[in-house]
């Protein structure tokens, strides 16, 4: 008799749970049935998230978006990341969302992202906190560009990385450019070289952190997510020690050097926010920049005419520097006009940032589209980048399309986001890529060692790390 009661209660509990999940999943849909865009909510709890996250080549939209756009149009409803969602593949609506940050929409990443990045991360904070942190990020960019050693440091690190290839015929390119990007950002932010113990310690923990950032968000000891949260805590402690040492050694607010000096000289950020900001800077300067370098080299390898034009441009710059007896500076970067076209086209085709997470702060109506208050909104940047209505022959890598264009960031090109969340370091990333490319194309020939293409998971990576065979020139 007791056994039957237990079975009955268990069945009743499961039935109630299933009913709650069903109601929670479909209630937002039923409350707004007559006004919502067309679309599908999928199954309770998971919705359509698994299909949305299905891996695909980053220079394509993937089956999910292509299927939904063909069925429902460029704006449709779905249920993603456990939330009712409006997905926008429409240029005008995407622009409207980005331009109304903190007015009609607000940044709203899934809770597990908060857990791994930290509550003070500039990526997840909103309102006044985000404004203060972004101002500091702009200060980083300005301070970094104004340093006389800025370009020299990047160039020196690029040469060091390439010198390590002298006795190699094959390299895993993504690993090499990650070493380069990490060395640059650690030098710029913390004033450390890769030979120092703190750098090695941070890099070791940072690699663990990156693996967890793209893992299933389950905090169980031993999982990638749990190890990443622990690695972030260790990086925070290391950065705190560096800050204490800098203060102990007599920091002078009138002598601003690296960005850590800028942080120490400001009084409008807490120590926790300063540490979190350092982590954000490392993340942005490491993963995004290294992936962009890999993208540029990947697409150049598939387009010999573009590679030849890049080589000629850099040969001219190198010859002029030698003739004048000068070192490279930001003035040379300004002369790398076709190189910058290549970078822009690699960003458009590669789609390093496919979409961002936003939430409607109130009921929003834009043209014929209605977005209920509290619903998640995903503006899909890649959908606009790969739309032939805005970029002729959009699936083709064609850097010449950018020649003569002065206004690069626009409604139809948002590789770094937009509005008040436009990446403050995007110009620094382009300089870093261009200087690395300068030395790479002048000193090495390369070809791919087997098939490897950038894949969106939706984060973008080369599954095999982009192995290439190299020959010094």
């Amino acid at each position: 008799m007791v056994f039957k009661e237990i079975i009955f209660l268990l069945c009743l509990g499961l039935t109630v749970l299933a009913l709650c999940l069903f109601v929670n999943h479909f209630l937002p849909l039923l409350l707004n049935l007559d006004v919502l865009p067309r679309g599908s909510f999928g199954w309770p709890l998971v919705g359509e998230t698994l299909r949305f996250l299905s891996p695909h080549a980053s220079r394509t939209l993937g089956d999910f978006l292509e299927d939904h756009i063909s069925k429902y149009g460029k704006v449709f409803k779905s249920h993603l990341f456990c939330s009712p969602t409006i997905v926008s593949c429409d240029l005008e609506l995407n622009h409207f969302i980005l331009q109304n940050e903190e007015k009609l929409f607000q940044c709203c990443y899934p809770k597990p992202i908060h857990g791994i990045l930290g509550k003070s991360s500039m990526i997840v904070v909103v309102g006044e906190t985000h404004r203060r942190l972004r101002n500091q990020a702009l200060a980083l960019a300005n301070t970094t560009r104004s340093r006389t050693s800025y370009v020299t440091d990047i160039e020196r690190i690029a040469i060091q990385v390439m010198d390590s290839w002298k006795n190699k015929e094959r390299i895993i390119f993504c690993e090499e450019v990650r070493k380069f990007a990490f060395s640059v950002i650690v030098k710029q932010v913390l004033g450390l070289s890769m030979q120092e113990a703190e750098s090695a310690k941070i890099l070791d923990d940072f690699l663990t952190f990156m693996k967890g950032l793209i893992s299933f968000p389950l905090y169980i000891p031993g999982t990638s997510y749990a190890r990443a949260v622990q690695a972030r805590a260790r990086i925070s402690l290391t950065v705190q020690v560096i800050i204490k040492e800098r203060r102990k050694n007599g920091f002078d607010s009138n002598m601003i050097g690296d960005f850590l000096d800028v942080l120490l000289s400001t009084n409008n950020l807490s120590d926790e926010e300063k540490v979190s900001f350092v982590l954000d800077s490392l993340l942005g300067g490491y993963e995004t920049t290294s992936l962009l370098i890999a993208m540029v080299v990947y697409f150049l390898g598939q387009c010999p005419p573009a590679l030849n034009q890049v080589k000629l441009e850099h040969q001219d710059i190198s010859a002029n520097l030698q003739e004048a007896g000068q070192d490279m500076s930001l003035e040379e970067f300004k002369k790398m006009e076709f190189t910058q076209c290549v970078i822009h086209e690699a960003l458009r085709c590669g789609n390093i940032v496919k979409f961002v997470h936003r939430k409607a702060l109130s009921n929003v109506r834009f043209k014929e589209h209605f977005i209920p208050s509290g619903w998640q909104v995903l503006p899909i940047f890649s959908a606009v980048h790969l739309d032939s209505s805005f970029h002729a022959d959009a699936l083709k890598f064609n850097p010449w399309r950018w020649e003569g264009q002065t206004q690069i960031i626009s409604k139809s090109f948002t590789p770094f986001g937009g509005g008040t969340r436009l990446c403050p370091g995007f110009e620094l990333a382009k300089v870093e890529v261009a200087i690395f490319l300068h030395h790479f194309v002048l000193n090495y020939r390369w070809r791919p060692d087997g098939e490897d293409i950038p894949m969106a998971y939706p984060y973008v990576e080369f599954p095999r790390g982009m192995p290439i065979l190299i020959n010094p020139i």
Side-chain angles (χ1 to χ4, degrees), residues 194-266:
M194 282 305 294
Q195 287 70 43
E196 297 181 61
E198 292 94 337
S199 295
K201 186 177 180 182
I202 292 172
L203 178 59
D204 185 51
D205 284 328
F206 202 76
L207 293 174
T208 303
F209 172 77
M210 287 304 305
K211 289 177 183 177
L213 189 60
I214 56 179
S215 67
F216 188 77
L218 189 64
Y219 193 92
I220 295 176
T223 62
S224 295
Y225 182 82
R227 286 197 295 267
V229 173
Q230 294 160 4
R232 185 197 183 281
R234 290 194 298 271
I235 297 171
S236 296
L237 287 175
T238 303
V239 173
Q240 288 173 30
V241 169
I242 293 171
I243 289 175
K244 288 179 181 178
E245 284 295 315
R246 187 71 65 92
R247 285 171 171 161
K248 180 181 176 182
N249 292 333
F251 163 71
D252 185 352
S253 61
N254 295 316
M255 297 291 290
I256 301 298
D258 54 41
F259 182 61
L260 188 56
D261 289 341
V262 178
L263 279 181
L264 292 176
S265 66
T266 187

Side-chain angles (χ1 to χ4, degrees), residues 211-467:
K211 289 177 183 177
L213 189 60
I214 56 179
S215 67
F216 188 77
L218 189 64
Y219 193 92
I220 295 176
T223 62
S224 295
Y225 182 82
R227 286 197 295 267
V229 173
Q230 294 160 4
R232 185 197 183 281
R234 290 194 298 271
I235 297 171
S236 296
L237 287 175
T238 303
V239 173
Q240 288 173 30
V241 169
I242 293 171
I243 289 175
K244 288 179 181 178
E245 284 295 315
R246 187 71 65 92
R247 285 171 171 161
K248 180 181 176 182
N249 292 333
F251 163 71
D252 185 352
S253 61
N254 295 316
M255 297 291 290
I256 301 298
D258 54 41
F259 182 61
L260 188 56
D261 289 341
V262 178
L263 279 181
L264 292 176
S265 66
T266 187
N267 296 318
N268 66 341
L269 296 180
S270 67
D271 280 353
E272 180 183 349
E273 288 174 330
K274 290 175 182 178
V275 171
S276 188
F277 193 88
V278 169
L279 290 175
D280 287 344
S281 301
L282 294 176
L283 177 61
Y286 170 76
E287 186 65 17
T288 306
T289 305
S290 61
L291 183 55
L292 177 53
I293 296 172
M295 286 285 190
V296 168
V297 171
Y298 169 78
F299 285 115
L300 281 177
Q302 295 191 326
C303 187
L307 177 57
N308 289 334
Q309 189 165 335
V310 166
K311 284 184 177 179
L312 289 173
E313 183 171 77
H314 287 278
Q315 286 168 354
D316 287 344
I317 289 172
S318 180
N320 290 335
L321 286 173
Q322 289 180 12
E323 184 179 338
Q326 296 177 345
D327 295 325
M328 186 178 290
S329 68
L330 284 175
E331 290 304 310
E332 277 63 52
F333 170 71
K334 295 175 184 177
K335 298 173 185 175
M336 299 178 187
E337 294 180 358
F338 187 69
T339 298
Q340 294 186 55
C341 292
V342 169
I343 292 172
H344 297 146
E345 186 69 350
L347 285 165
R348 187 192 67 82
C349 291
N351 293 295
I352 294 174
V353 180
K354 180 178 178 178
F355 65 93
V356 291
H357 292 260
R358 295 294 182 266
K359 178 180 70 175
L361 296 176
S362 60
N363 289 338
V364 177
R365 186 173 291 280
F366 179 78
K367 296 183 178 178
E368 72 273 23
H369 307 302
F370 178 75
I371 304 172
S373 177
W375 277 44
Q376 179 177 234
V377 185
L378 300 185
I380 311 292
F381 301 148
S382 59
V384 177
H385 293 167
L386 300 175
D387 190 332
S388 291
S389 302
F390 311 114
H391 305 280
D393 203 1
L395 298 182
K396 181 180 179 181
F397 179 77
N398 176 18
W400 292 274
R401 74 173 78 240
W402 300 100
E403 288 186 325
Q405 293 197 31
T406 55
Q407 183 64 36
I408 300 301
I409 302 300
S410 64
K411 289 182 181 180
S412 61
F413 186 57
T414 52
F416 300 102
T420 59
R421 286 185 176 264
L422 177 68
C423 175
F426 73 91
E427 285 294 341
L428 297 181
K430 287 164 56 178
V431 172
E432 198 172 325
V433 173
I435 293 174
F436 183 93
L437 195 63
H438 173 81
H439 290 280
F440 186 54
V441 299
L442 292 182
N443 291 285
Y444 284 94
R445 299 184 186 91
W446 75 92
R447 58 188 173 89
D449 183 22
E451 183 68 21
D452 199 16
I453 64 172
M455 296 288 292
Y457 291 91
Y459 63 91
V460 177
E461 73 170 10
F462 288 81
R464 297 178 59 224
M466 195 176 156

Side-chain angles (χ1 to χ4, degrees), residues 31-178:
L31 292 175
N32 300 279
L33 197 59
D34 295 333
V35 292
L36 289 171
R38 294 183 300 156
S40 170
F41 256 39
W43 293 95
L45 193 61
V46 296
E48 297 187 298
T49 305
L50 297 180
R51 280 198 66 202
F52 179 76
L53 297 178
S54 179
H56 59 274
S58 70
R59 64 189 302 181
T60 69
L61 291 182
D63 291 342
F64 176 85
L65 286 177
E66 288 177 357
D67 176 61
H68 279 59
I69 291 172
S70 66
K71 285 183 179 178
Y72 310 120
K74 291 184 178 181
V75 179
F76 56 88
K77 65 175 177 284
S78 184
H79 201 282
L80 303 171
F81 308 105
C82 301
S83 298
T85 304
I86 299 296
V87 178
S88 170
C89 299
D90 179 76
L91 176 145
E92 294 295 342
L93 180 54
N94 286 2
H95 181 70
F96 179 77
I97 294 166
L98 294 177
Q99 295 303 312
N100 281 281
E101 181 80 26
E102 297 295 346
K103 300 172 187 174
L104 300 175
F105 303 95
Q106 192 173 70
C107 177
C108 184
Y109 282 90
K111 291 298 181 183
I113 297 293
H114 291 239
I116 200 168
L117 292 178
K119 64 180 182 180
S120 297
S121 170
M122 186 170 65
I123 299 171
V124 300
V125 296
V126 297
E128 176 61 21
T129 303
H130 176 262
R131 188 190 67 79
R132 287 189 293 108
L133 290 175
R134 190 170 189 277
N135 285 342
Q136 289 302 136
L138 292 171
L140 164 62
N142 293 332
T143 300
T144 302
R145 287 175 67 92
S146 66
R147 286 175 56 217
T148 55
S149 62
Y150 167 55
V151 172
T152 305
D153 286 340
I154 297 174
E155 192 172 24
R156 175 178 49 78
I157 293 169
I159 292 170
Q160 286 176 350
V161 169
M162 292 179 207
D163 281 347
S164 70
W165 305 344
K166 283 185 176 178
N167 298 317
K168 298 179 180 179
E169 296 180 353
R170 180 182 184 272
I171 60 172
I172 305 299
F173 191 73
C174 287
E175 291 181 3
E176 298 299 318
V177 292
R178 283 184 180 125

